[in-house]
Amino acid sequence: MSTQPVTFDLDAWRERPAAQQPEWQDPAALAAVLAQLAKQPPLVFAGECDQLKDRLADVARGQAFVLQGGDCAETFEGSSADIVRNKLKTLLQMAVVLTYAGSVPVVKIGRMAGQFAKPRSKPTEVRDGVELPAYRGDAVNGFDFTAEARRYDPRRLLEAYYCSAVTLNLSRAFTKGGYADLRQVHAWNQDFVAGSPAGQRYERLAGEIDRALAFMKACGADPEEFHGVEFYSSHEALLLDYERALTRIDARTGLPYDVSAHLLWIGERTRGLDDAHVEFMRHIRNPIAVKLGPTTSSDDALALIDRLNPEQEPGRLTFITRMGAGKIRDALPSLVEKVTRSGAPVAWICDPMHGNTFEAPSGHKTRRFDDVLEEVAGFFEVHRALGTHPGGIHIEFTGDDVTECVGGGHEIVEDDLHQRYETACDPRLNRGQSLDLAFIVAEMYRKTH
């Protein structure tokens, strides 16, 4: 139970500067949509948020590992059973490998059921001399480069809510209804190992899992945990009007929870200490995270802790570092060292995607799989040297065989990017690359423990 005093002002953020908010052309239409959103049922429940907070407290104590992943930007079209199932399938496959290899519980968090808005470096986009508003995610405007599609339309906020509800409903059904059975997920991994160019490297680990499952079956062990998994949702809390409309007072505790997701995070572009996003998140009781880029100072990190978790509540605050492969070994140590010395119960997660983006000659935005691995390796090395816990990874991936990041076991080269480049924003690892990553991270984790 939270130790926070029951004091909150859910609208204090309105007095603060709020970056990355769309300038809606029709305030009356926005007000009508927000009033409708405020009446909708919760997408998640406060008790589930508290349960995730407990799991993240275990991560902060070094007793669990987070696997957080999903689309860079979800699309309304992507809220289909096949697409959701493929993402969940890949996440579950990765989790089985990490759980066994690390001998540690893996907290499974989808970057899904709400990731419909994106911060942009520029408010407009120019093509062939035509300037239009930038695409800010399906919750705000459309991807097509036309004046009509790029118009900021508040009705999209309602569609974002409904698509989140559909995705969560599918996720709950898949993770509780037998689809997530451990033996079935392991069988999928065996298929992957057999067909992967790097398969021999993973064969030993897959064989170990196989023998462990056979041993448990022979002993008559069939725990309930084998047949379903805990699964949590998360997204960047970017559109503050949407998040405020979905904040409810919990009947059990009298405290406010943002029921749009279990975990919400503040992005690198919106983490200003006196800005609106930090002010809003200060008052809700969900577990929350903050993205930290390479320019983050130790003082910045400590100030964020003071502002967002003054009561030092375990599991409340997670730092997700996004430094870049070439910078993590220099930028991360002083942050981890000083935060650890302060005694603050923080979970550390590595986002090896956002600091490693570049533009290929074809104009496609891409990432090298080797850079992703290198950043994760640096993250583990820093924590091993400091005697602290590498608490998890946060990745952008899809369950489909897209060609958006170069490298991996089934190697994709820059000339392949056009074949299936389907992302609405940033490049994602495909299913094969994601599973490659899981096996390699599992090996790294074993070496640190």
Side-chain angles (χ1 to χ4, degrees):
M1 195 60 66
S2 168
T3 56
Q4 281 286 81
V6 188
T7 56
F8 47 85
D9 181 352
L10 296 176
D11 291 300
W13 62 272
R14 297 185 190 280
E15 306 302 315
R16 306 291 180 96
Q20 299 287 336
Q21 304 306 290
E23 293 180 13
W24 306 102
Q25 282 90 346
D26 187 343
L30 174 65
V33 163
L34 296 178
Q36 215 172 328
L37 277 172
K39 295 176 189 168
Q40 298 303 313
L43 291 170
V44 302
F45 297 104
E48 295 171 337
C49 298
D50 290 343
Q51 187 179 47
L52 176 56
K53 205 183 288 180
D54 290 343
R55 304 290 181 262
L56 292 169
D58 289 340
V59 176
R61 286 190 286 264
Q63 296 165 357
F65 189 83
V66 171
L67 174 61
Q68 183 178 12
D71 275 316
C72 163
E74 289 178 283
T75 61
F76 296 157
E77 224 174 79
S79 304
S80 71
D82 285 349
I83 291 172
V84 172
R85 184 185 62 235
N86 287 345
K87 274 190 281 196
L88 277 172
K89 179 176 177 179
T90 305
L91 195 75
L92 294 173
Q93 285 183 261
M94 294 176 76
V96 166
V97 173
L98 290 165
T99 303
Y100 180 81
S103 299
V104 66
V106 172
V107 184
K108 292 163 276 290
I109 306 175
R111 187 185 156 107
M112 52 201 286
Q115 187 59 20
F116 290 109
K118 288 294 293 178
R120 304 317 303 249
S121 48
K122 295 176 183 169
T124 60
E125 181 183 353
V126 179
R127 291 190 203 172
D128 300 324
V130 178
E131 185 174 18
L132 291 174
Y135 170 64
R136 289 185 174 273
D138 274 14
V140 178
N141 57 356
F143 184 72
D144 292 342
F145 194 74
T146 66
E148 177 57 28
R150 291 295 175 92
R151 189 173 62 83
Y152 299 156
D153 182 357
R155 289 171 302 179
R156 285 176 165 269
L157 295 173
L158 272 174
E159 196 165 348
Y161 169 86
Y162 293 132
C163 287
S164 298
V166 166
T167 300
L168 270 172
N169 193 36
L170 286 166
S171 301
R172 290 182 199 278
F174 286 137
T175 54
K176 301 296 180 195
Y179 185 77
D181 186 281
L182 181 58
R183 293 181 184 89
Q184 179 168 305
V185 176
H186 176 57
W188 296 332
N189 271 337
Q190 287 175 309
D191 291 344
F192 165 72
V193 168
S196 165
Q200 285 182 320
R201 179 176 181 179
Y202 311 142
E203 207 164 8
R204 183 179 57 81
L205 186 53
E208 285 179 35
I209 298 173
D210 210 30
R211 286 189 291 278
L213 288 173
F215 173 74
M216 293 191 76
K217 187 177 182 185
C219 292
D222 190 27
E224 191 182 320
E225 288 78 9
F226 274 22
H227 304 292
V229 298
E230 278 181 17
F231 176 78
Y232 300 98
S233 67
S234 69
H235 63 260
E236 180 176 356
L238 189 66
L239 302 177
L240 291 171
D241 282 323
Y242 177 84
E243 304 301 340
R244 174 63 184 92
L246 285 168
T247 300
R248 308 279 186 271
I249 304 302
D250 176 35
R252 306 166 308 148
T253 60
L255 294 171
Y257 287 76
D258 182 345
V259 295
S260 70
H262 297 108
L263 173 115
L264 297 147
W265 75 82
I266 302 170
E268 165 75 355
R269 290 187 176 100
T270 53
R271 62 173 173 80
L273 202 61
D274 297 316
D275 292 352
H277 290 83
V278 169
E279 182 61 29
F280 172 76
M281 297 280 259
R282 199 162 75 82
H283 295 280
I284 59 169
R285 300 312 314 143
N286 305 56
I288 59 175
V290 185
K291 291 278 190 90
L292 303 180
T295 61
T296 311
S297 70
S298 305
D299 288 344
D300 291 339
L302 293 171
L304 284 163
I305 293 168
D306 286 345
R307 187 63 55 91
L308 294 168
N309 193 21
E311 303 287 316
Q312 304 276 303
E313 183 186 3
R316 157 72 173 167
L317 182 61
T318 295
F319 281 149
I320 304 172
T321 62
R322 48 175 308 289
M323 305 292 188
K327 296 178 181 173
I328 187 156
R329 290 172 178 85
D330 296 325
L332 187 59
S334 64
L335 289 184
V336 175
E337 202 172 6
K338 289 186 179 168
V339 168
T340 303
R341 203 184 304 148
S342 77
V346 167
W348 294 94
I349 295 178
C350 175
D351 167 359
M353 309 294 292
H354 284 89
N356 296 308
T357 310
F358 70 98
E359 191 172 304
S362 60
H364 292 96
K365 206 193 280 190
T366 189
R367 291 161 174 153
R368 288 187 188 88
F369 183 69
D370 285 351
D371 290 342
V372 171
L373 287 182
E374 182 64 15
E375 180 153 0
V376 177
F379 177 77
F380 275 87
E381 284 169 27
V382 168
H383 283 284
R384 186 163 57 235
L386 294 172
T388 49
H389 180 57
I393 55 171
H394 174 120
I395 60 168
E396 291 182 339
F397 79 90
T398 174
D400 302 321
D401 293 322
V402 297
T403 55
E404 296 171 3
C405 293
V406 294
H410 286 275
E411 188 170 5
I412 293 169
V413 297
E414 289 180 13
D415 287 346
D416 297 330
L417 291 172
H418 69 280
Q419 290 178 9
R420 281 197 66 183
Y421 194 92
E422 298 172 7
T423 181
C425 196
D426 289 342
R428 305 160 296 176
L429 300 176
N430 62 27
R431 178 174 174 264
Q433 291 166 330
S434 301
L435 294 172
D436 278 341
L437 180 68
F439 278 98
I440 295 165
V441 169
E443 290 171 358
M444 290 180 192
Y445 191 88
R446 270 187 165 178
K447 286 175 188 166
T448 62
H449 287 75

